[in-house]
Amino acid sequence: MKNITLLSLALLVFLSSCDDDLDDNLIPAENIEISDFVYRGLNYWSLYKEDVPELANDFFENDAARFDYLSQFSSPEATFDALTSTRDRFSILRDDYVALENSLAGIRTSSGLNLSLLIMPNDPTTAFGVVRYVVNDSPADLAGAERGMIFTLVDGQPLTSGDGQAIDGSTNFNSFFAPDSYTIGLATYDGTDFTTTGEEIVITKTELTINPVHTVNVLSVGGNEIGYLHYTGFTNEFDSELNAAFAEFRSAGVTDLVLDLRYNGGGSIETANDLSTMITGQFNGEEFITQEYNADRNQANEFVRRFNNNLGSGDDGPAINSLGLTRVFVLTTGRSASASELILSGLDPYIEVIQIGTNTVGKFEGSFLLYDAPAPNFRRSEANPNHRYVMLPLVLKSVNANGLTDYFDGFTPDLLIAEDFENFGQLGEQGEPLLDAAIDVILNGRSSTNYNTSIQRSIYDSEQEDPLYQRMMVDRIDL
């Protein structure tokens, strides 16, 4: 069996090197061919390589022994699972790199509706939905969906597990939101019971380019000019829009900034670096973070990222619009991860970072795309044309200027305030509890206000379907 497998693999390699037009003569990849790509990529770049004995450079005597090991797995996904450390909560393998590349550019098949499901207070077998925010000018926005809306029906059906059992973290709600079009049936809640209103909103998906600069506002409160930014993802294609928001803040004479990352699961490390400079500006050339790799790769790849007053990694990009602040207020929840946490970590050695909300996820590791191509770069331009599998493994960890890393448990807020679906408020406006808490500190150094600390556990978040949910990316591989 081993010899047959090796012969098949050799034949595939030979055929893929021929001069035929591969678009016309596509040779479907075999499982072991893709599994070998998974092995090679993780053996070379995995941050937690030392945790997996099979990834050790001397574990297999020869290629035949490695192929024999890989042949036991029924799919590339099974291989990936077997070769991923238990410490690794975020590495992914996908079978279509085009979709993943689009996600990196902010392009999604989406309605623009960001929602969460919670278990009904008096019925553990049923869930209800709440709209957390709506992407500007998206189909959901145009259909009239708004933050704070409550719904109990999807396409006329209640949100249940279908078997009458209590809902838990394993209950799958994907089928409710998978269709390209569905309706949500709105409801009200009086503190005890939900009542359907009879109103339905049609939610339709389309290919959507999402600008993460969602809400920009300047509030004049008590003689203070307070900037507010709701930022939903570190997407570097929109760095100019982010920089423009800070130009608006600077023009308005903003003296305090509330950076709302409560629904921001991460993205580009470079954008996080630039955003930190937008907030400050007085630390040009100082260390932002250091990127550390596995023992095999670190000596050649360890990299210190520094505050830089130009967009991008060089000195020739557009000038960053910096505010020169010595403190910043960051709003977080259990959906704030990765590059969002990098703001907390990277700025902490330099300015006062006041975190308001609930605990963050705890992701300090970064990734870049690996295609089925030769090491070390595993480049898109050299990818095996017989399949579209791609990996986004954890390859580095961030270490701040004070040596902080490995914050697996996330960051604990200075002011614990949980979102309450009964009192959501509007993002960027007074009356929204997390923003009000920041304003309270600005005006009063914090009053005796009692905040809601009862965390309502979400059992489903729409953003968890995003291929880049809670990822932190480094620009390393040419697409």
Side-chain angles (χ1 to χ4, degrees), residues 281-409:
Q282 63 270 42
F283 303 110
N284 189 43
E286 296 293 323
E287 177 184 350
F288 176 57
I289 58 146
T290 296
Q291 296 171 188
E292 294 185 354
Y293 296 78
N294 69 38
D296 290 345
R297 306 279 79 83
N298 198 57
Q299 184 174 356
N301 293 278
E302 184 180 46
F303 178 63
V304 178
R305 286 188 176 271
R306 300 186 182 278
F307 290 92
N308 179 358
N309 288 332
N310 299 86
L311 284 180
S313 56
D315 296 326
D316 55 352
I320 285 177
N321 298 310
S322 300
L323 300 182
L325 299 178
T326 58
R327 71 175 179 179
V328 64
F329 297 84
V330 183
L331 310 185
T332 67
T333 66
R335 294 164 193 81
S336 307
S338 195
S340 288
E341 293 172 295
L342 208 56
I343 299 296
L344 300 169
S345 170
L347 284 177
D348 184 66
Y350 300 97
I351 67 173
E352 184 181 10
V353 179
I354 302 169
Q355 182 187 347
I356 297 172
T358 53
N359 214 72
T360 63
V361 170
K363 182 177 183 293
F364 50 89
E365 307 104 330
S367 305
F368 49 70
L369 292 170
L370 298 185
Y371 300 85
D372 186 1
N377 289 324
F378 295 86
R379 293 184 185 279
R380 165 78 142 84
S381 59
E382 301 174 288
N384 182 345
N386 297 335
H387 67 85
R388 287 186 174 177
Y389 271 87
V390 65
M391 282 193 294
L392 195 58
L394 298 182
V395 301
L396 64 91
K397 69 176 181 178
S398 63
V399 184
N400 80 357
N402 288 342
L404 176 66
T405 186
D406 294 358
Y407 40 88
F408 288 99
D409 295 327

Side-chain angles (χ1 to χ4, degrees), residues 112-180:
L113 186 71
N114 184 284
L115 62 90
S116 291
L117 298 184
L118 310 175
I119 298 175
M120 284 192 173
N122 299 317
D123 183 0
T125 70
T126 308
F128 68 97
V130 60
V131 178
R132 297 196 179 274
Y133 74 91
V134 181
V135 174
N136 297 327
D137 301 319
S138 66
D141 187 22
L142 299 176
E146 296 179 353
R147 172 174 168 81
M149 282 182 167
I150 296 169
F151 61 93
T152 55
L153 303 173
V154 174
D155 283 335
Q157 300 299 312
L159 293 157
T160 68
S161 61
D163 57 8
Q165 300 299 308
I167 293 170
D168 59 26
S170 64
T171 305
N172 191 336
F173 290 96
N174 292 343
S175 61
F176 284 96
F177 305 104
D180 291 336

Side-chain angles (χ1 to χ4, degrees), residues 32-46:
I32 196 168
E33 183 180 9
I34 304 171
S35 289
D36 187 52
F37 151 57
V38 170
Y39 177 87
R40 290 186 299 106
L42 294 178
N43 166 262
Y44 200 90
W45 281 113
S46 173

